């Protein structure tokens, strides 16, 4: 499982997440991430959305907060990861 570093744009602490899956919907990249490396334990997962613009060298990800978008993308991740139960 890939471990990636996320640095806040404006201050704050760096966070490390493990990427469980990634997908692209309507030209937008999404990541399903967790803070836990152990795939067997129950853990909180987060869906991040790439909001960077074309030509930017670093990707800019934000937590998906829109309920409709969150539900739609979580269904896609649930299909991709058949053995994972995603609860909103």
């Amino acid at each position: 499982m890939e471990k990636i570093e996320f640095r806040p744009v404006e201050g704050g602490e760096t966070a490390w997440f493990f990427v469980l899956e990634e997908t692209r919907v309507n030209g937008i990249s999404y990541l399903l991430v967790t803070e836990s490396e152990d795939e067997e334990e129950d853990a909180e997962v987060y869906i991040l959305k790439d909001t960077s613009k074309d030509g930017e060298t670093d990707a800019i990800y934000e937590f998906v907060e829109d309920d409709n978008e969150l539900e739609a993308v979580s269904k896609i991740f649930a299909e991709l990861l058949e053995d994972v139960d995603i609860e909103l």
Side-chain angles (χ1 to χ4, degrees), residues 2-6 15-19 31 33 48 61:
E2 180 182 5
K3 183 177 181 179
I4 53 177
E5 175 185 16
F6 286 88
W16 290 91
F17 291 110
F18 295 93
V19 178
L31 298 177
V33 300
L48 303 175
Y61 283 91

Side-chain angles (χ1 to χ4, degrees), residues 8-44:
V9 175
E10 297 177 17
E13 292 186 32
T14 298
W16 290 91
F17 291 110
F18 295 93
V19 178
L20 298 171
E21 186 63 75
E22 56 186 294
T23 191
R24 194 164 179 83
V25 179
N26 295 328
I28 300 171
S29 295
Y30 293 91
L31 298 177
L32 180 68
V33 300
T34 185
E35 295 174 345
S36 174
E37 188 173 16
D38 185 356
E39 293 181 30
E40 299 301 317
E41 75 177 41
D42 287 344
E44 289 203 24

Side-chain angles (χ1 to χ4, degrees), residues 25 67-77 88:
V25 179
D67 289 338
N68 294 329
E69 182 180 19
L70 188 61
E71 185 175 339
V73 177
S74 67
K75 286 181 182 179
I76 293 170
F77 281 127
L88 300 178

Side-chain angles (χ1 to χ4, degrees), residues 6-7 18 21 31 34 39 44 51-52 56 58-60 62-63 67 72 74 77-78 82 84 87:
F6 286 88
R7 286 174 273 148
F18 295 93
E21 186 63 75
L31 298 177
T34 185
E39 293 181 30
E44 289 203 24
T51 60
S52 56
E56 289 184 326
D58 291 330
I60 299 173
E62 295 179 0
F63 290 98
D67 289 338
S74 67
F77 281 127
E82 295 173 357
V84 173
E87 295 180 21

